[in-house]
Amino acid sequence: MLTEKKYRFSNLLNTRIGFFLLVVILFCVKTYIVYQTKFTLGVKGGLQEFILAINPIPAALLTLGIALYFSGRLSYWLMMIIDTLETIWIFANIVYYREFSDFLSLGIIKGSGNVQNNLGKSLAEIIHFSDFFIFLDIIILVILLAFHIIRIDAEPFKKRYALLISVLSLILMGGEYGLASSDRSGLLTRTFDNNYIVKYLGLNEYAAFNAYQTQKESATRSKAKASDMDSILKYLKHSRAKANPVYFGKEKGKNVFIIHLESFQQFLIDYKVDGREVTPNLNKFFHNKNTIGFDNFYHQVAQGKTSDAEMMLENSLYGLPQGSAMVTYGAQNTYQAAPAILDQRGYTTAAFHGDVPSFWNRDSTYKSWGYDYFFSSQYYKTKPSYSVGYGLKDKIFFRDAANYIQQLPQPFYAKLITLTNHYPYLLDKQNTDFPATKTGDKTVDPYVQTAHYLDQAFAEFMSYLRKSGLMKNSMIVVYGDHYGISNNHRPAIAQLLHKKSITDYDLAQFQKVPFMIHATGLKGGVNHAYGGEIDVLPTILHLLGDKNNNTIQFGTDLLSKQHDQRVAFRDGDFVTPKYTKVGSDVYLTKTGKQIHPVGKQKTEIASIQNHVTTELSLSDRVIWGDLLRFYTPKGFKKVDRKDFTYQYTKALENLKNAQKQHPTSIEAKNGGKSTMSLYKTDAPELK
């Protein structure tokens, strides 16, 4: 009896339909294993478990079923090719998800050329040996075919049966979507979280939906019209916050420094390793009597990471649910960004970055934002020892940037983007004088070492500002752009936070990043208001005395008594002083206790969720439709990209001419002599 069953099974495998079913089963099994072991999809309850188990089946039948329309060997090898391509797609998502807690999108793939630097080193750190096991079934199947253990069925497979399998796959997809919608209403219309789409529908369906969304976004611009601004203006009319009279105009006419701390999280402030402060200089700065330090400030980035942070910081527009707005819409859209606003108020505007100008499409986007100057890697002396990871080491970068800062006519707006504290947290021995943490996670443990180096570089730059006289006439804004340690490192995060285990609530609070505003004479202290990067621009403008009541900004002044303390995350979750929502779970923000809202609580949370969803959607419409081209607020002139050039020779010539016309730079005030002798650094590469 057993022998007969084996014979029947062997015969089945030697038919095309039998081999096809074997490939489908193996593919679905490995996909399910990946869902459970490589992703954190938040599956809860029997229905979600069932949906997760079956969601690879419809797409596998549809895609692998293509091979059934062909005859002979071609049919078999097409199955192998399709299986391999599908597996490569899964592998790529495993690697991407491990670091970014999200899935690959067309926007990220198209923009990958803008984030290519050090990619090899990053991948080497992210990829795990176990990831390659997903190719094991393909290798086995190829061997079985190559050694004729499974024989190729030369008999033609009837096209109507192939068509039947294709139709069946579509029917199953519809049924699966119906099940998913019963558990999660508005799955494809009201969610910003890609985890939901993959959990309920699958990776292939997510890719298809993402492609559809991308095409839809492209079509949105051509269909957009001026009246589309009406709902935006109506919403913002009721959400603007009046300036706090105590702070309004307090820093009027001062220079503005934006110090961008790469991958720097709030938990590092006052954090110690082996009894030593990781960031002693930033700690002092945070607690300085002339610094307003926010301890409930969150990053709000998605796939665009740093570029999302810049978009929010300088435009008060959210990044996109997929891809990077700077990459996709940086050159073609109209903006009302901080550099343009301040340039039209008499400021010189400049950005500083120690890597290639094309990184995140900055060389194009900054023209749309109205930056007078963009000092990228071509403006700095370079040697192999000067760079690590994604560009110039911070100590060298700050020193070289100071050479151009001293030449900027005052008042100026200058943004400096640090790089050394970027994943994978590489630093040579001669610059490492701080112990790594001992979590056992190779990604996490060196994080404090590069953060400590950044802290030293920051201190050197602050010292120069004091000695040169710039400090007393400047407002210094310091912020962390996004997380440095992703949520996929739960055990290590628990150790860093000195907890046995962590909840989704803990991870939500772990998304806090520093935000500090320092100026001579400013009344400082720790401010407990809840806010995020979307709120920075209106806060800065009010401090500079600019009411700015009519530009399109979705954030509100953090110092205003009317400040909206609802912090929206790009996936639709949120944090408020009262509630923290992560997926379908809700926690009390003050205690971290999970609740099951009913009555008044349920109504309050629904209201907050509606606000968050509406705001994200409206911001997306502004970017997708390029709606700001239809709206020019009073007192603002649209940016003409042709007015700006970042070509090295021409830009330096423009800077010289600007100094002659406006001899207000710190160098000019020093009798035309350089102030660089005041800059002291212990960077060993410069000795």
Side-chain angles (χ1 to χ4, degrees), residues 294-592:
F294 293 83
D295 61 357
N296 289 311
F297 185 87
Y298 298 79
H299 81 77
Q300 298 167 283
V301 309
Q303 291 183 335
K305 299 289 287 295
T306 293
S307 67
D308 283 354
E310 290 190 68
M311 178 63 70
M312 286 182 279
L313 188 88
E314 306 207 74
N315 295 272
S316 201
L317 295 173
Y318 290 95
L320 297 176
Q322 295 96 26
S324 163
M326 280 178 62
V327 171
T328 309
Y329 300 97
Q332 69 186 59
N333 276 21
T334 301
Y335 293 96
Q336 298 163 10
I341 293 170
L342 294 177
D343 183 80
Q344 294 173 30
R345 306 291 193 272
Y347 275 69
T348 306
T349 58
F352 300 81
H353 176 58
D355 202 359
V356 293
S358 61
F359 200 102
W360 286 126
N361 199 34
R362 287 188 176 97
D363 51 347
S364 291
T365 303
Y366 284 174
K367 291 178 182 177
S368 300
W369 291 359
Y371 268 113
D372 296 322
Y373 306 99
F374 176 29
F375 299 100
S376 59
S377 57
Q378 61 185 313
Y379 289 85
Y380 312 116
K381 293 180 180 178
T382 58
K383 291 182 181 180
S385 63
Y386 286 11
S387 296
V388 64
Y390 283 79
L392 275 182
K393 295 174 182 175
D394 293 338
K395 289 183 180 180
I396 299 172
F397 166 68
F398 273 125
R399 188 209 63 161
D400 288 358
N403 179 47
Y404 295 109
I405 288 169
Q406 68 170 341
Q407 301 175 55
L408 295 177
Q410 300 183 80
F412 58 72
Y413 173 89
K415 178 174 67 175
L416 296 97
I417 302 172
T418 64
L419 285 170
T420 308
N421 197 47
H422 195 295
Y423 179 83
Y425 314 119
L426 302 172
L427 201 57
D428 48 296
K429 289 184 179 180
Q430 64 179 344
N431 281 295
T432 306
D433 64 349
F434 196 83
T437 53
K438 299 178 179 65
T439 69
D441 188 319
K442 293 181 180 179
T443 297
V444 172
D445 288 338
Y447 178 61
V448 293
Q449 295 178 313
T450 50
H452 184 72
Y453 174 86
L454 167 57
D455 179 75
Q456 293 174 326
F458 172 80
E460 292 176 354
F461 185 65
M462 290 300 107
S463 177
Y464 167 74
L465 294 186
R466 284 190 289 271
K467 292 176 183 177
S468 65
L470 280 169
M471 178 73 82
K472 64 183 178 183
N473 193 39
S474 298
M475 178 172 69
I476 300 167
V477 178
V478 181
Y479 86 110
D481 63 340
H482 54 73
Y483 63 82
I485 302 170
S486 77
N487 288 348
N488 290 320
H489 300 277
R490 281 179 177 248
I493 294 172
Q495 290 186 58
L496 292 176
L497 299 180
H498 308 299
K499 294 186 175 185
K500 291 183 179 180
S501 62
I502 53 175
T503 65
D504 287 343
Y505 164 82
D506 295 319
L507 292 177
Q509 301 308 316
F510 197 59
Q511 304 312 308
K512 291 181 182 180
V513 292
F515 182 59
M516 320 172 203
I517 304 172
H518 176 92
T520 302
L522 184 66
K523 184 180 179 181
V526 177
N527 188 304
H528 303 301
Y530 283 73
E533 290 156 333
I534 200 74
D535 302 311
V536 173
L537 180 57
T539 305
I540 291 173
L541 291 176
H542 280 175
L543 281 163
L544 295 175
D546 193 328
K547 289 184 179 179
N548 205 51
N549 289 330
N550 48 13
T551 52
I552 302 303
Q553 297 173 9
F554 284 92
T556 57
D557 181 357
L558 287 159
L559 298 170
S560 170
K561 294 179 181 179
Q562 297 176 352
H563 166 60
D564 179 3
Q565 296 196 69
R566 291 173 289 199
V567 184
F569 296 120
R570 186 61 262 194
D571 60 5
D573 291 342
F574 59 79
V575 171
T576 72
K578 192 171 183 179
Y579 302 112
T580 294
K581 179 179 173 290
V582 184
S584 57
D585 296 330
V586 180
Y587 303 84
L588 295 177
T589 298
K590 297 299 182 186
T591 64

Side-chain angles (χ1 to χ4, degrees), residues 1-12:
M1 187 73 174
L2 185 60
T3 304
E4 186 180 346
K5 287 183 178 179
K6 285 183 178 179
Y7 178 74
R8 288 176 181 175
F9 181 68
S10 177
N11 277 352
L12 178 63

Side-chain angles (χ1 to χ4, degrees), residues 231-280:
S231 58
I232 313 289
L233 292 169
K234 182 180 179 181
Y235 176 82
L236 293 179
K237 181 180 179 181
H238 297 290
S239 63
R240 294 188 190 275
K242 292 182 180 179
N244 186 330
V246 175
Y247 292 102
F248 182 75
K250 184 70 176 177
E251 309 307 319
K252 187 172 184 177
K254 286 189 175 183
N255 303 316
V256 179
F257 282 99
I258 304 292
I259 310 296
H260 174 117
L261 304 179
E262 174 63 44
S263 306
F264 197 98
Q265 293 178 246
Q266 176 68 17
F267 86 89
L268 288 171
I269 299 298
D270 296 329
Y271 193 80
K272 294 181 179 180
V273 176
D274 295 346
R276 293 177 59 187
E277 292 178 291
V278 178
T279 58

